[in-house]
Amino acid sequence: MPDAGREPVRERLFDLLLWLLLCVPVLLRSDPNDGGSWTQVAVGVVVLAGCVAVSRRWPLVSLAATVAASLPATLELFTPSYSLALVAFGYLAGRRQEHTRAALWLFGAIAVTGLVLTWITRTSLGQWFTLLLALALAVVAPWLIGRYVRQYDRLVRSGWQLADRMEREQAAVADRERLRERSRIAGDMHDSLGHDLALIAIRAGALEVSPELGPDQQRAAGELRRAAADATARLRDIIGVLRAEDDAAPTSPPGETVEELTARAGASGLAVTLAPTPVPTLPGMSGLALHRVVQEGLTNAAKHAPGAAVSVAVTQDARNVRVEVVSGPGTDTPAGASGGTGTGLVGLDERVRLAGGTLAHRTTEDGGFALTAVLPRKAPAPLPAAPMSARELDLARREVRKGLARAIWIPLALLAALGALMAGVAVWTQAQSYLEPDDYARIRIGQTLAQIDENTDDWPEHPLDSAPHAAPPEPPGMDECRYYRSAMLATIPVYRLCFVDGHLADKAEVP
């Protein structure tokens, strides 16, 4: 909380220092003792104060206002009074602006505005090229640096946040693993103990109706059967206790084979047949799922159809193993037997699915029950899902890479566009000031511009802006001398035409 309270104070102090720093060039270059005026000083100070005030919320507005204050001073944009402000607000726009599209539109608008002002004032395109160069160096380059700093800070901040989140997720993963282990223990208890209790109930039920026992022994067998049924019903409470305890006991896949499982069920009084033998051995989760499918089928038959015949069939091919447990309708269900809740089949379906197989169950035509599972010989390895923090960190890294890519290709694109534009303008300027040698030969002393234009095939519209460097002095007494290119791709020699009172008084080829 104290840091949050001091943050606005720091921001206001930074803005005040920034404003004072930006006002220094305005005061120096607009000093009335140095050719300036106090009005310029006041306007500059007020404009910079407003730009600093809105730079946090609308950074592009501050940059646009600084450009608008610079252009009236010179079309070349880079002015001594506002050059530092251009660099500062360009950097702050890249540092504080979330998106880049608005900034790119602003840069394009500045370039177009400079071109329009150049056309209105009839100045040379060289000033516009200087404006573009100043825009690239004093505005775009600091803006790109600000974008890079923003992306880097975002990556660092995301890294710290994700590190904290990953630490909390690690603790949550440990808790989930403990709960998962307890759930697995509970599932194994449901499968193993439920199966054993069902076999105990079958044996007790057989003793309860055996004529070889007396009434006391039969009553004791009935109590044993009911106790087994009650123990099965309380098994869910044991599962809940396991989930509430902190200590977890390890479990392992059952050591007995499917042949041993069916033999034990047959010894308990269940009429079960297994074909063919031996049953193929499957590794890992598939082998555990195969054992659980047979165990669940025998348990359901013992609980819900005691006395019915049960058949276990295992078939295989090159890729899968298919197991089917079919039980007939019950014939001597003891009194008090009840149907199940189906939670065993739900858990079994999840176990088979995790092993890469499928589970199906149906009622047979004679009222029995069939349980079928198809298991792969080699279960596919599950692909671990990337945690949310890892995905977010990867996304942050991609954003930073995109920002760095923009910081590279935007200046290159601007330089390439500026070079192409300058080359195009140079070619256009040369074409506008090129005088054909044949036309130059037809020009005569004493002709007017109208006569020269009439006697030449392609009179150039615009002469060169000035005489070539190190050209010989013009003849004395001339009112005006014009220079034209003698070749499209060469700057020298040039043709010089000098006029007196609107008539050609001298023509020469200047080296």
Side-chain angles (χ1 to χ4, degrees):
M1 292 299 294
D3 292 338
R6 287 197 297 264
E7 189 65 26
V9 177
R10 294 175 181 175
E11 292 179 356
R12 285 193 288 269
L13 182 60
F14 174 82
D15 292 343
L16 178 60
L17 294 177
L18 177 63
W19 175 65
L20 293 176
L21 179 63
L22 298 181
C23 287
V24 172
V26 176
L27 294 172
L28 293 178
R29 301 300 300 183
S30 300
D31 186 1
N33 298 325
D34 193 22
S37 66
W38 290 115
T39 303
Q40 294 178 355
V41 172
V43 171
V45 169
V46 172
V47 169
L48 291 177
C51 292
V52 172
V54 302
S55 62
R56 293 189 178 275
R57 188 169 184 180
W58 301 297
L60 291 181
V61 173
S62 301
L63 179 59
T66 307
V67 172
S70 302
L71 285 178
T74 173
L75 291 180
E76 295 179 350
L77 184 63
F78 196 79
T79 62
S81 299
Y82 297 102
S83 57
L84 183 60
L86 285 176
V87 175
F89 289 122
Y91 170 81
L92 292 178
R95 182 71 175 82
R96 296 171 176 175
Q97 189 75 16
E98 177 67 24
H99 304 290
T100 61
R101 182 173 299 178
L104 297 180
W105 278 107
L106 176 61
F107 300 154
I110 294 173
V112 172
T113 302
L115 181 61
V116 172
L117 293 178
T118 301
W119 178 76
I120 292 176
T121 57
R122 301 297 180 181
T123 56
S124 172
L125 285 177
Q127 284 193 331
W128 185 59
F129 290 135
T130 306
L131 179 144
L132 295 181
L133 185 61
L135 176 65
L137 296 179
V139 179
V140 179
W143 176 78
L144 290 173
I145 295 175
R147 292 297 303 174
Y148 171 77
V149 174
R150 177 184 178 86
Q151 295 293 340
Y152 180 78
D153 289 347
R154 179 180 178 183
L155 179 62
V156 172
R157 185 169 57 253
S158 300
W160 282 108
Q161 293 175 352
L162 293 176
D164 179 68
R165 185 181 303 177
M166 289 176 67
E167 185 176 355
R168 288 185 277 111
E169 285 183 356
Q170 198 171 20
V173 167
D175 293 338
R176 286 197 299 268
E177 287 299 326
R178 284 194 291 269
L179 292 176
R180 186 179 302 171
E181 181 68 13
R182 291 170 187 166
S183 298
R184 192 168 65 86
I185 294 172
D188 290 340
M189 288 189 62
H190 177 274
D191 295 337
S192 301
L193 294 182
H195 176 75
D196 294 338
L197 290 174
L199 296 182
I200 292 174
I202 289 178
R203 290 194 175 191
L207 294 175
E208 186 180 5
V209 297
S210 176
E212 299 178 359
L213 299 179
D216 294 338
Q217 290 80 7
Q218 291 180 347
R219 185 169 55 256
E223 292 176 356
L224 179 61
R225 178 184 57 78
R226 287 189 293 273
D230 292 340
T232 304
R234 289 196 301 271
L235 188 58
R236 296 185 188 87
D237 296 335
I238 299 175
I239 296 174
V241 171
L242 277 175
R243 289 179 176 174
E245 292 291 336
D246 289 335
D247 297 332
T251 61
S252 59
E256 66 177 354
T257 63
V258 175
E259 292 89 342
E260 294 172 347
L261 175 64
T262 54
R264 185 160 60 88
S268 300
L270 192 64
V272 56
T273 58
L274 174 64
T277 56
V279 176
T281 302
L282 297 179
M285 290 291 293
S286 297
L288 180 60
L290 175 62
H291 184 277
R292 293 300 190 216
V293 169
V294 177
Q295 187 181 63
E296 183 69 20
L298 298 178
T299 302
N300 288 338
K303 289 171 58 177
H304 309 306
V310 183
S311 63
V312 180
V314 181
T315 58
Q316 59 179 324
D317 54 27
R319 299 180 59 184
N320 300 314
V321 172
R322 185 176 185 273
V323 57
E324 186 175 35
V325 183
V326 181
S327 61
T331 58
D332 52 352
T333 304
S338 60
T341 61
T343 56
L345 290 178
V346 173
L348 182 63
D349 181 75
E350 179 67 13
R351 187 182 294 272
V352 172
R353 186 187 67 81
L354 292 176
T358 58
L359 180 71
H361 55 84
R362 57 184 173 84
T363 302
T364 60
E365 296 179 356
D366 57 356
F369 187 78
L371 186 64
T372 306
V374 178
L375 298 166
R377 287 185 171 275
K378 184 178 180 180
L383 294 176
M388 182 63 68
S389 57
R391 290 198 296 268
E392 291 183 0
L393 182 59
D394 181 66
L395 180 61
R397 287 173 176 170
R398 290 182 181 179
E399 290 296 328
V400 171
R401 285 195 293 267
K402 289 181 180 178
L404 293 178
R406 295 191 192 101
I408 294 175
W409 71 259
I410 289 179
L412 293 179
L414 290 176
L415 290 176
L418 181 60
L421 184 61
M422 293 179 66
V425 171
V427 172
W428 177 80
T429 303
Q430 290 179 358
Q432 295 296 313
S433 59
Y434 171 61
L435 177 60
E436 292 281 353
D438 294 340
D439 292 335
Y440 174 76
R442 285 195 291 267
I443 297 175
R444 297 290 181 265
I445 300 295
Q447 290 180 331
T448 62
L449 280 176
Q451 293 173 341
I452 293 174
D453 187 11
E454 182 179 354
N455 294 331
T456 55
D457 296 332
D458 189 10
W459 180 250
E461 297 182 3
H462 301 284
L464 295 177
D465 295 333
S466 61
H469 179 67
E474 298 177 356
M478 300 298 168
D479 296 338
E480 177 189 13
C481 288
R482 297 187 179 187
Y483 296 88
Y484 298 91
R485 294 183 183 276
S486 62
M488 286 291 294
L489 301 179
T491 57
I492 55 175
V494 297
Y495 298 133
R496 183 180 66 189
L497 303 180
C498 296
F499 295 87
V500 175
D501 296 332
H503 292 78
L504 181 65
D506 180 74
K507 55 178 288 189
E509 183 174 317
V510 179

